[in-house]
Amino acid sequence: MAKFRMVCTDFWKNPMVSEEMTPEDRYFYLYLLTNPHTTQTGIYKITKKQMAFDLGYSIESVHSLMERFIKHHKLIRYNPETRELAMKNWGKYNLYRGGKQMMDCIFSELKDVEDLSLIQYVSESIQKQEIRSLFESFCKQEELICGNEVSGHEEKIHF
């Protein structure tokens, strides 16, 4: 069954998108928001090789774009060991409706996330308390695993 991902038309009104991003940045960002690997949580597994294939770019170009989105735009995090990507503002634009089916879907997807620090990263932009609390329940697991301190994810980013 095909998944449908919609991008809010306000995407184009966002000053960061319209003033700070190059056309290549915008294309890459739209891809990150809408590719077939995306999930309801904004955290998904994807390889640089897959991104390069889908976009028709070299792996070096994808590497450069990812570094730009991590360090300059600060819009994503990527764990190269688990190959999981997290979208910083996913919750702000996509997680504003609750309900049992949505909560069940989110719970199911969060169970599959290997790098729990990515859940914390996405949860920071979630405004709906019911959904944010669900994300935070997974973050508490990380605190227990890490001895009551959240791991410094920046140290895990290797290229």
Side-chain angles (χ1 to χ4, degrees):
M1 176 160 41
K3 290 193 280 183
F4 295 95
R5 294 284 178 233
M6 294 176 37
V7 176
C8 180
T9 56
D10 285 348
F11 174 88
W12 301 106
K13 295 177 185 175
N14 182 326
M16 176 182 268
V17 171
S18 62
E19 296 173 13
E20 297 176 30
M21 289 188 178
T22 66
E24 188 174 44
D25 286 346
R26 288 189 285 262
Y27 176 55
F28 185 65
Y29 197 27
L30 283 171
Y31 171 76
L32 294 177
L33 292 168
T34 62
N35 75 75
H37 300 280
T38 61
T39 63
Q40 284 301 128
T41 62
I43 304 165
Y44 55 90
K45 284 186 180 282
I46 192 164
T47 64
K48 291 179 188 178
K49 186 175 182 178
Q50 182 65 55
M51 288 185 258
F53 178 79
D54 291 346
L55 294 165
Y57 286 165
S58 67
I59 291 178
E60 293 77 19
S61 293
V62 168
H63 170 80
S64 178
L65 282 162
M66 288 184 69
E67 189 169 331
R68 186 166 164 76
F69 272 73
I70 291 167
K71 294 181 179 174
H72 177 73
H73 295 305
K74 299 183 183 340
L75 289 172
I76 66 169
R77 284 202 180 153
Y78 186 75
N79 182 324
E81 293 166 16
T82 64
R83 293 180 173 91
E84 292 172 307
L85 185 140
M87 306 286 297
K88 179 180 182 179
N89 293 321
W90 184 265
K92 182 178 180 181
Y93 298 112
N94 295 285
L95 296 176
Y96 49 86
R97 290 191 190 140
K100 180 169 176 19
Q101 286 183 324
M102 175 66 93
M103 296 299 284
D104 289 348
C105 177
I106 291 169
F107 180 80
S108 176
E109 290 178 356
L110 288 174
K111 285 191 318 186
D112 293 336
V113 174
E114 292 178 50
D115 182 348
L116 299 180
S117 72
L118 298 177
I119 296 173
Q120 173 65 39
Y121 178 70
V122 174
S123 75
E124 293 167 4
S125 71
I126 300 171
Q127 295 171 351
K128 185 161 182 64
Q129 189 55 49
E130 174 188 26
I131 298 173
R132 187 179 188 136
S133 294
L134 180 56
F135 271 69
E136 288 171 348
S137 71
F138 282 85
C139 298
K140 288 179 181 143
Q141 290 177 23
E142 182 188 32
E143 289 172 8
L144 292 173
I145 293 167
C146 297
N148 292 331
E149 56 184 70
V150 177
S151 64
H153 185 71
E154 283 73 23
E155 297 172 15
K156 293 182 184 176
I157 300 172
H158 305 291
F159 287 102

